[in-house]
Structures are given as structure tokens and as C-alpha cells.
Amino acid sequence: MNRVLTAALLALPLAAAPVLATVLAPVSPAAAAPPAPAPAAERPVTVDLTRFDPRTVAPGGTVTLAGTLTNTGSETLTDLGVRLQRSGVVTTRADLLAADADADLATAVSTPFSPLPGPLAPGDTLPFSVTATTADLALGGDGVYPLLLNLNGTGADGGQRRVGEIRTHLVQQTAPPATATAVAWLWPLTERSHRDAAGAFTDDGLAGAVSEGGRLDRALAVVERLPAVQAPGAPAPTPVAPVTLAVDPALVEELSVMAEGPYDVAGEEDAGTGTEAAGAWLERLRAAAADHPVVALPYGDVDADALQATGLTSALTRTLPGAPTGTDGETGDGTDGDPGASDARPAASEASPGPAGAALLADVLGVAPRTDLAWAPGGALRPDTLTTLRAGGVEQVVVASSALSGGNAVIGVPGGGAAARATVPAADGPVEALVADAGLSSVVGTADTAVGGPRIAEQRYVAELVLVSQQAGTDPVGQSVLVAPSRDVDPDPEAVTAMIADTALPGLRPASLTDLAAGPVADAGTPLDQVGAALLDPAGLGELATAAGLRDDLAGAVVGEDPATALASVDAALSRAASAAWRDDPAGFLAAARDVSDTVGGLRERVTLVAPADGTYSLASSDAPLVLTVQNDLPFAVRVLPQVRTRDNVGLTIGDLSAQELAPGQRTTLEVPTQVRQSGRFAVTASLTTPGGGALGDDVAIQVRSTAYGTISLSITIGAAVLLGLLFLRRGVLFLRRRERAEEELPDGAGAAWPPSRSPV
């Protein structure tokens, strides 16, 4: 009996979203793939299905499967024959998931083997085709029939055995339900940044992504290839289904820089090679945006949960395209207001990455993107993150069914109606949500790697949707489904375009996100408990937290303009580094985060003290000010606090210092009041800080020399002079007194002989 050959056909969940030091929602039982069966014995022939017609069959119809066989074994195979085997009908999505878990397909009906030309040598390929009617397969009622394509052959030992197989689904639909199921698509156009914190290109990888055959080229081709239909009374044809394009403004900004050309790439002597490809891709995106709705993602497609968990709520808000600007809670330094105040909001401005990114999309694409919807990168969002998003202008979020305890109700398992509209709890109340079907989204996202080929994945997609639609019955409200593949989807354009076009099959109807928001509501429960998952690297988040702290401290020093405007490039760099695209690349994330931290630190080094040429400064008097020279090489004015310290504070007293404003790009002198108590040399250390206390530039060590007498020194000197004068006066008085006494003691007339008038000799 056969084994399950591909996990890609199972209803796999979207990846859970990560946050710092915690993890997000586990796979919901409703959306989880069934346990993988035991692996099949290795088959020497791989089967690639390229044709499966029709997608749904009516009683009396004919089914054709065609493709290629490739001998990947080591022996030549002969006597090849192929047949179809089906199991019992499946009428609910829950039963389909259960059937996937069965390693052996219980064969209810099989067709005779159809011989194929041979032999098939090792490495050779062989086309095949097999046809059967519904009567041949003895199909009964409507539903999905698990189907096995079984290839037999003879090996070197002469024995017949199964040498290849592929498992798929045959869908029979006699009549569609009375109420069609609405199916909407959310299609990501994102890419990790290829620029550093300064905006320079670190590599030319984006050029390859938008060039022919690149991932973004294929992603855009999906919507470009959609067939157009003209509704009655419509002025022009429109795509068969609306696809909401979720676009990262940072990607469009990066491509716009490339398209202007030339642009430099680090480590390359020649300019980047993507100028032409970037311009062409943007033109194609502009055309697609004219036909499909556009949602502006947060700038850089940041990992919202990671920023929230790290305490970087202001940084998160600044990335949101609809972030309110100039709110009451905004403080003058660009940081959060009083967290206890009900109206406190993180700061944002029109120059912040999110609002500026939305404006960029409008300018480049010529359409007004939606800015009130946030799509969780990994499918789940923390309640406190939802609160921050709502404060930042988000009114609706997109999450995955696998992240919610009531995901069954969303996707129609075990047998209820599917509804993509729900609410999810935030810290300050419920938030409107659209819930993506994790199973269908995974089937679409893995179509290019599906065993048996993308056509197998498409047929699985059709089977699940038909089962959902048949569960609707006569409910006038109908059902709704949202398909949202992962951000890094690398599609097979032909297969995914066909899946989107399948939305127009009987029993289904194309819908937009706006349609879903007005559709049926499901009780999706609450976010599942957080379990282990891949996260943004904690070390990188620590670096981002350091960079954000330095940024906010510098914002508090900005004067004369909005701090968010002055630091717009820093905010953009931090947002690009916080992208959810770095989840699978911790080393790259850490390097990007350190680059931002170093860049912000470099800005602070551009406001610095200029040391005297010989390191010495002379004071001319006891109260002469100490003159410091400050250089502000930033393009905006800042307020600084000079700090001057003396060793042991002996002999030189520093007066009170006030904040000083430094004009942009200029050198300024600051006078520091001093009082000298004694002459000599003094060791002084001068530094600059922001009003918040953060260091700016490097400390400067200065030798201060003073030849002026201070008050004490002068008093001591005068006192010493007076004392010396008194001593001389006393000595003179004593001398005169001794002389007078000597004269009184001489006999009469003796005085003439003493001292002698001339030498006796």
C-alpha cells in the first residue's frame, strides 16, 4: 500500500510570531497538519503532475492526469503501467485532514493499469497521461475523493512492483451551494533591507530579487497574470479576483534609490547592477496597484511583538503608516509622555518612517494605500502589542487561525461555517481582526516545493475550498475565507495565479478585505499560550534597545524643529534593522542592530568640545571665565549642558552652568564662571551632556594656569608684608635703644676717644 509522499499537501499552519525572551502562539489544533505517517519505501520513479483537468468534475465527466516520470534509481525499469485508485468520499474539511494522516490510502475503487512505453533507464524521463471517467472511478455523491496515481514496473529482478506514486484529490461537484463562499487574498511584497544604517547598499541582492526569475519578480507576476473579466456595464475588464497587496514602504524606497541610479554597493568597484530592473519592477507594481487594493505595512515590516516586548513602543509607533502625529501625549523630546496619562501616545510625525513611508507609496504608486490595517508577520500578536498598534492608528489586524484557540470556528472545522472575521483581545479591549486560514495559506506558500509539482498543491487548495463551500448549506449569511501566505513566499506564478483564479469556481466568489470585514463573525477565542518558536535574536534586540535609548536621549536635545524630523534617518535605520525578515538570520540581525547603535553613537560624537592646542588654558584674573570651544557638526541645533570638574576641587571653584544652545554646523565658545583661590596649575576635565544626561563627544582634559592672586593669596601676601615691616621697625627701635644706653654708661670725656678718630698706627 502506498504512503503519504508529501507534507506540502497537508494543511500546515503559518509560523508562529516571535517576541523577545518569549514566544507566541502555537499551532491551533484546527489548523494543524495531522501527524505525519511513517515514511514510504523509497520509490525509484518521481512523478511530476503538470495537468489535472478539470479541477472539479460533474457526474458523467472525464478526468485527465498528465505529467512526467523520472527514474532517479539505479536500474532500468520495464513493463511500466499506471492506474488511478480512489478511497471513500470525504465531505468535511475535518475528514480531509484525518485522511491525510492515514499512511495507507484505503482503496475503494481502482482503474485498470494503462501501459506506458518503456523502458525507463536511470536518469531518463518519460511523459505519461491517464484518463478515467466518473463511471470508471464509480464516484458517488459530491465531495472530495482522495486519489492515488500508482505506477508499476519491472526491475532487474524480473518482479513487478510499485515504482512510483503521487497522491492528490478528485473533486466532484454536481451543483454549487445556494450561497457562495467569499474568498479574499492578502499578498505580501516584502524583502529584508539591503542597506546599512547610513542608507548605503551592503550588497546587490535586491537587484537579483526584482530581475527576471527573482523572488519578487515571481511574486509580482502572480497578480499580473490573473485573467481579466468584464462585468456587465463595466467600462473595462478587471482582474478575476481582487488581491490586496501588502507592500513594505522600505522596499519601495530602496528600489526608488536604485532606479535613480547609479548607486554604490559596499565592496564593489563598479556601481550596482539593478537600476534598470528596479525601475521596471516599480512600473509593474504601479500598474498592479491600479487594479488591486494596497495596504501599507509598517516601515521595514518590523517585528511588532519583538519591539513591544523590548519596551520600544515609541519606535514601533513611528513605523506605523497611520500613526497619529502631534498628539496630546507627545513630549517635546520625542519620547513617550506620562505612561499613566490616558491620552499619552508615543511620538510620531509626518517625517517618521511609517507616515513618510505611506506618503512614499502614494507618490510612487499613484494610489492612496490603506494605513489602518496591521498584518502580524508570524500570524499572532500579543495583547499589549495590539494596544500599542491601536494607539498608533491601527483599526484592524490580520492574524492566523493557528494562533487562536477558536481557530476551528474560523476555518470551518469540524463541520461549521467558516468566517474570517473575528475580534482578538487587547490589553484595553477587543480589536477587530481578519483571520487568515493557516492551512490554505500554507498550501499556497509551499506550492513551488510540493512533491508532485505545484498542480498538486492547487488541487489540494481547490479541494479544501469546495468542502468549505459545501458546508454552507442554505445559510444566507454565507461564509468567508482569507488566504495570506507567509511574507517570504517564493511562488510558482502559474500555480498561484491559477489558485487565485479558482476563487471564481462555482460555490466561491472573489472578495476584498473590505468585504470580509462586513461578513460573518466567528468566535475565534483567545490567543494560544506562548510556546517555543524562532524569535528575533535577544542579543540583537538588546543592541536595538541601546540604540533607541541613545536616539531618544539625543531627541531631547534637539531644538528648533521636530525631533522626529531631525532624526528621521535614524528612525528609518532602526526600523529596517527591526524587520521580521531577520527572524531566520540571527547573525545578520545582530550585525544590523549593532550598525544602528554605532551610527547613533556616531551622531552624538559630532557634538564635541575642542581642546586647546597645547592643552593649557590661562586665567588672567581671579574671576576670569574659563572659555570652552564647542563644535556642533549635526545638521540641527541642540541644547547641551557643559560639565567642568577639577581634581579635589582645590584652588579653583567652578560656577553654576546653564544649558547652552548650539547652532547646526557651527563652532561656539562657552564661558564657564570660575573663582581662583590661589595661583598655580589646575587639572580640569570638561564634558558635554544632553539635558537628559547622556554624554556627547569625548571628555577633554585641560591644564588651567593662573598667575593671578586670589583673595586668600592676596590677604596672606599683604599680611606677610605688614609683618615684615613691623619686624624691621622693631629692629630699628631696638637698635636705637641700645645705642642710647651705651652712651649713658661712658665716663665724662671718654666719649671723645670712642670710637677712635683715626688709626693708631
Side-chain angles (χ1 to χ4, degrees):
M1 301 298 290
N2 73 300
R3 307 280 184 179
V4 173
L5 296 180
T6 173
L9 300 182
L10 304 181
L12 298 177
L14 293 172
V19 295
L20 175 66
T22 59
V23 290
L24 290 179
V27 176
S28 166
E42 184 178 355
R43 310 293 185 192
V45 177
T46 60
V47 182
D48 291 314
L49 195 67
T50 57
R51 180 185 176 190
F52 191 139
D53 292 328
R55 286 163 175 77
T56 64
V57 65
T62 300
V63 178
T64 300
L65 282 74
T68 59
L69 308 174
T70 303
N71 186 350
T72 59
S74 58
E75 58 180 345
T76 298
L77 301 173
T78 59
D79 302 326
L80 297 173
V82 62
R83 73 176 182 185
L84 300 178
Q85 302 171 199
R86 72 155 178 89
S87 65
V89 66
V90 172
T91 57
T92 69
R93 196 174 182 187
D95 290 340
L96 183 63
L97 293 174
D100 289 333
D102 189 358
D104 293 318
L105 182 68
T107 301
V109 176
S110 61
T111 64
F113 278 102
S114 298
L116 298 175
L120 186 61
D124 285 353
T125 61
L126 181 69
F128 77 91
S129 179
V130 58
T131 300
T133 65
T134 56
D136 294 334
L137 293 169
L139 300 186
D142 285 356
V144 173
Y145 293 83
L147 188 69
L148 177 77
L149 187 149
N150 179 7
L151 176 68
N152 272 15
T154 301
D157 59 0
Q160 270 268 333
R161 68 181 189 275
R162 184 178 300 179
V163 295
E165 61 186 14
I166 198 68
R167 192 166 172 174
T168 184
H169 303 87
L170 178 60
V171 181
Q172 177 169 284
Q173 188 176 48
T174 303
T179 305
T181 296
V183 182
W185 279 71
L186 183 59
W187 190 249
L189 293 173
T190 68
E191 171 79 357
R192 77 158 179 86
S193 177
H194 294 263
R195 293 188 292 168
D196 61 17
F201 285 86
T202 59
D203 58 62
D204 212 13
L206 187 54
V210 297
S211 297
E212 184 177 359
R215 188 187 70 82
L216 289 174
D217 169 63
R218 295 193 297 274
L220 190 53
V222 167
V223 294
E224 290 177 319
R225 297 185 182 187
L226 281 174
V229 295
Q230 187 159 4
T238 57
V240 67
V243 178
T244 300
L245 307 177
V247 183
D248 179 5
L251 170 63
V252 173
E253 180 184 54
E254 197 162 319
L255 288 169
S256 297
V257 173
M258 293 170 59
E260 290 178 359
Y263 61 97
D264 294 329
V265 176
E268 301 291 336
E269 294 183 2
D270 299 326
T273 62
T275 295
E276 183 176 346
W281 195 90
L282 288 175
E283 284 294 331
R284 294 166 56 198
L285 179 59
R286 187 176 296 110
D291 293 330
H292 298 278
V294 176
V295 167
L297 293 172
Y299 182 91
D301 194 22
V302 297
D303 191 328
D305 271 332
L307 290 178
Q308 179 72 34
T310 316
L312 302 180
T313 55
S314 291
L316 171 57
T317 299
R318 286 190 290 268
T319 71
L320 302 178
T325 59
T327 54
D328 293 339
E330 182 180 336
T331 63
D333 61 359
T335 60
D336 288 349
D338 177 11
S342 60
D343 62 350
R345 293 290 185 269
S349 79
E350 293 181 358
S352 292
L360 174 71
L361 289 185
D363 181 56
V364 174
L365 303 184
V367 298
R370 183 174 176 181
T371 61
D372 64 343
L373 182 140
W375 180 12
L381 289 168
R382 295 157 44 115
D384 54 344
T385 303
L386 289 169
T387 298
T388 299
L389 294 178
R390 175 151 54 192
V394 172
E395 298 177 2
Q396 193 174 61
V397 296
V398 175
V399 296
S401 61
S402 58
L404 302 171
S405 62
N408 288 345
V410 174
I411 67 173
V413 174
R421 179 184 171 197
T423 61
V424 290
D428 59 349
V431 176
E432 289 289 328
L434 297 178
V435 185
D437 189 308
L440 288 175
S441 299
S442 181
V443 169
V444 172
T446 58
D448 63 315
T449 59
V451 176
R455 184 63 186 86
I456 292 287
E458 183 199 350
Q459 195 63 22
R460 171 54 185 256
Y461 167 83
V462 171
E464 293 208 42
L465 274 183
V466 167
L467 288 178
V468 170
S469 69
Q470 290 181 348
Q471 293 172 184
T474 58
D475 187 349
V477 177
Q479 299 183 104
S480 60
V481 174
L482 173 60
V483 182
S486 61
R487 300 293 215 278
D488 59 351
V489 62
D490 191 0
D492 178 290
E494 182 177 354
V496 178
T497 297
M499 291 183 187
I500 299 174
D502 290 339
T503 304
L505 288 173
L508 307 174
R509 66 177 178 88
S512 66
L513 297 189
T514 303
D515 296 330
L516 296 190
V521 181
D523 181 4
T526 59
L528 294 173
D529 292 337
Q530 298 171 356
V531 296
L535 308 176
L536 277 182
D537 180 59
L541 286 173
E543 289 286 346
L544 281 188
T546 298
L550 293 173
R551 178 265 179 214
D552 288 344
D553 180 70
L554 183 58
V558 176
V559 293
E561 64 178 301
D562 176 24
T565 300
L567 299 173
S569 63
V570 172
D571 292 338
L574 195 151
S575 302
R576 293 194 299 268
S579 174
W582 292 112
R583 287 178 175 178
D584 296 329
D585 185 5
F589 170 52
L590 180 58
R594 284 176 174 169
D595 183 32
V596 176
S597 183
D598 291 344
T599 298
V600 180
L603 286 179
R604 301 173 69 92
E605 292 295 324
R606 295 173 65 181
V607 181
T608 187
L609 289 162
V610 179
D614 60 356
T616 302
Y617 186 85
S618 297
L619 297 179
S621 64
S622 62
D623 59 353
L626 176 62
V627 179
L628 301 177
T629 302
V630 184
Q631 180 75 33
N632 177 19
D633 287 329
L634 294 173
F636 48 84
V638 291
R639 181 182 292 109
V640 301
L641 285 173
Q643 306 281 343
V644 179
R645 303 179 301 278
T646 61
R647 183 178 302 171
D648 300 326
N649 199 30
V650 174
L652 179 66
T653 301
I654 305 299
D656 294 335
L657 303 175
S658 60
Q660 304 288 324
E661 291 188 8
L662 307 179
Q666 293 187 18
R667 180 172 291 193
T668 306
T669 57
L670 306 179
E671 292 189 353
V672 180
T674 64
Q675 184 67 47
V676 178
R677 298 191 299 274
Q678 65 185 49
S679 61
R681 286 179 175 267
F682 308 95
V684 171
T685 301
S687 61
L688 293 176
T689 70
T690 64
L696 295 170
D698 296 325
D699 292 354
V700 173
I702 305 173
Q703 288 291 324
V704 176
R705 182 178 59 192
S706 176
T707 56
Y709 289 112
T711 302
I712 297 175
S713 299
L714 185 59
S715 299
I716 293 173
T717 302
I718 294 174
V722 171
L723 180 59
L724 183 61
L726 292 174
L727 289 174
F728 274 106
L729 179 59
R730 179 175 179 273
R731 185 174 181 180
V733 171
L734 292 176
F735 173 76
L736 292 175
R737 286 181 178 178
R738 285 196 299 269
R739 182 174 181 177
E740 289 175 357
R741 286 197 298 270
E743 290 176 350
E744 290 174 355
E745 294 174 356
L746 290 175
D748 293 341
W754 183 264
S757 60
R758 57 192 177 94
S759 174
V761 180

